[in-house]
């Protein structure tokens, strides 16, 4: 991964109640004190959904909320993992025998993936590591976690990895709201099916334009090879791909290959039973979303008087495309976005993979209090389960700093 390694910061634990509490839990569990602590921030993607694995730039920011880990190096080969949330059970294993069972996702697998990743290769370690869990992620989360800086969102470009500051306009804040629907990316195939649909669209578009389609993997590769604009790619999508879902037979016919070839050379192991793929809609989302990311950055840079309005509009378009073309929303997210817009947001969209999880809304600062009050009332108050989660589920946040190691001063 490009960029600096996470920095290390001496801290006075007495001034850090969460770290202090973590230290106490650690001592209670393991009988000795941690040697250092690690902080990894949460992230919110402001715009650019489901395009990182297609090669396109995204625009996330790290947030102030984070995960903390306490660590003590030991002199043997056993790694012991414990979680302060008792829902997640203790786990230990030998570092020489890391088994990551893909059919049964467990919290500690994420740690084991990191360990396995280090053993394979240090470069671009986190993005590759996540793939051991079984999802074909694009690298946005890991990149922003490492490359974030306080006070700025980032345009993250891939191959090679680059991060450019994007200063958000003053006068508005970003509010995150949890739909309280959980979608376990590792346990379901929605995410990987989308990655595959984009790959198949790449192949069909490449073949139609006489490119070496066997070598092409990402939708961005087609644009780069053809040397055309995103708008021109959208026209090509309309010409080449039809909106009706493609059967595996039709894909084989278009590419001139057998079903066995498709299964063994293109479709990944867990994709073998999927029989139809929507290529037109997915490609349309990706190229239009990639264009929206660049437009978002341009507006932030130029900061016209109506910047907030324009950015909000882009977020709304992004959401509609995610819902209609990419089909990665769900009824609860649809309802929440609706409520956010009615409560004063200028833009609101699902953020991250979708099918559950959070929305991000852009709210004029002077409307923040009524916004929070209205959303709380309309989405959380009448539902006991949501209300129980509400404190951690609805908050305004600012661009926070990246991953960090703490040592006790
Ligand atoms: C998840 C993945 C990211 C990205 C988003 C969708 O968060 O981890 O790589 O693909 O979904 O934009």
């Amino acid at each position: 991964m490009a960029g600096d390694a996470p920095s290390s910061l001496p801290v006075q634990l007495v001034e850090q109640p969460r770290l202090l509490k973590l230290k106490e839990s650690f001592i209670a569990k393991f009988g000795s004190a941690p040697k250092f602590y690690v902080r990894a921030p949460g992230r919110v993607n402001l715009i650019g959904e489901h395009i990182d694995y297609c090669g396109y730039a995204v625009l996330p920011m790290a947030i102030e909320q984070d995960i903390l880990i306490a660590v003590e190096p030991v002199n043997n080969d056993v790694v012991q993992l414990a979680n302060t949330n008792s829902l997640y059970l203790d786990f230990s294993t030998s570092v020489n025998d890391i088994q990551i069972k893909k059919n049964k996702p467990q919290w500690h697998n994420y740690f084991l993936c990191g360990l396995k990743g280090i053993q394979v290769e240090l470069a671009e370690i986190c993005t590759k590591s996540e793939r051991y869990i079984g999802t074909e992620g694009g690298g946005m989360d890991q990149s922003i976690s490492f490359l974030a800086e306080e006070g700025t969102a980032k345009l993250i470009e891939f191959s090679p990895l680059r991060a450019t500051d994007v200063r958000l306009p003053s006068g508005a804040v970003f509010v995150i709201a949890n739909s309280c629907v959980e979608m376990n990316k590792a346990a379901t195939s929605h995410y990987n099916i989308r990655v595959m649909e984009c790959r198949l669209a790449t192949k069909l578009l490449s073949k139609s334009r006489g490119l070496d389609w066997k070598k092409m993997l990402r939708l961005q590769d087609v644009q780069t090879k053809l040397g055309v604009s995103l708008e021109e790619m959208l026209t090509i999508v309309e010409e080449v791909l039809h909106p009706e879902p493609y059967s595996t037979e039709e894909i084989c016919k278009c590419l001139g290959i057998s079903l066995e070839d498709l299964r063994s050379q293109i479709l990944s192991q867990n994709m073998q039973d999927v029989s139809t793929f929507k290529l037109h809609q997915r490609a349309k989302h990706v190229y239009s979303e990639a264009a929206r990311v660049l437009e978002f950055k341009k507006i932030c840079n130029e900061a016209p008087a109506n910047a907030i309005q324009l950015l909000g509009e882009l977020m709304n378009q992004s959401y509609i495309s995610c819902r209609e073309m990419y089909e990665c929303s769900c009824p609860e997210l649809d309802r929440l976005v609706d409520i956010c817009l009615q409560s004063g947001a200028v833009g609101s969209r699902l953020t991250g993979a979708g099918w559950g999880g959070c929305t991000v809304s852009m709210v004029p600062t002077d409307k923040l209090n009524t916004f929070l009050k209205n959303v709380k009332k309309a989405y959380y108050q009448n539902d006991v389960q949501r209300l129980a989660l509400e404190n951690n589920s609805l908050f305004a946040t600012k661009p926070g700093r990246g991953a960090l190691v703490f040592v006790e001063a």
Side-chain angles (χ1 to χ4, degrees), residues 20-55:
L20 208 55
K21 206 166 145 218
L22 183 59
K23 180 179 179 178
E24 281 157 15
S25 315
F26 191 101
I27 295 174
K29 167 80 49 191
F30 298 112
S32 53
K35 287 285 172 305
F36 62 93
Y37 304 84
V38 179
R39 161 188 196 263
R43 67 97 183 95
V44 59
N45 190 20
L46 299 181
I47 195 156
E49 224 59 89
H50 287 285
I51 59 174
D52 55 355
Y53 51 78
C54 297

Side-chain angles (χ1 to χ4, degrees), residues 3 38 40 46 54 90 129 166 201 223 241 270 274 277 290 305 319 324 350 353 360:
V38 179
L46 299 181
C54 297
D90 291 1
S129 298
V166 177
Q223 189 201 354
L241 301 173
N270 52 2
V274 184
F277 298 91
Y319 172 63
E324 304 293 321
L350 65 85
V360 56

Side-chain angles (χ1 to χ4, degrees), residues 43 45 48-53 58 127 130 135-142 158 185 191 195 285 289 326 349-355:
R43 67 97 183 95
N45 190 20
E49 224 59 89
H50 287 285
I51 59 174
D52 55 355
Y53 51 78
V58 291
T127 302
E130 193 196 13
T135 45
E136 297 281 327
M140 166 171 66
D141 308 352
Q142 298 82 357
F158 302 96
K185 263 198 305 163
Y191 188 88
V195 177
H285 167 76
E289 184 77 350
Y326 222 70
R349 54 183 300 280
L350 65 85
T351 182
W355 297 287

Side-chain angles (χ1 to χ4, degrees), residues 183-198:
M183 198 284 283
N184 186 333
K185 263 198 305 163
T188 54
S189 53
H190 306 291
Y191 188 88
N192 282 349
I193 291 178
R194 292 296 177 277
V195 177
M196 187 53 68
E197 287 173 319
C198 290

Side-chain angles (χ1 to χ4, degrees), residues 201 205 219 234 237 241 279-288:
L205 290 170
L219 284 166
L234 283 165
V237 168
L241 301 173
L279 308 188
H280 171 267
Q281 295 84 339
R282 311 312 185 217
K284 203 167 158 178
H285 167 76
V286 169
Y287 290 125
S288 65

Side-chain angles (χ1 to χ4, degrees), residues 104-131:
K104 204 168 164 246
Q106 304 270 15
W107 74 276
H108 58 253
N109 278 358
Y110 278 92
F111 188 90
L112 297 182
C113 289
L115 212 53
K116 187 163 177 174
I118 291 169
Q119 289 171 338
V120 175
E121 196 182 348
L122 275 166
E124 298 206 307
I125 182 168
C126 294
T127 302
K128 277 192 187 161
S129 298
E130 193 196 13
R131 301 208 177 114

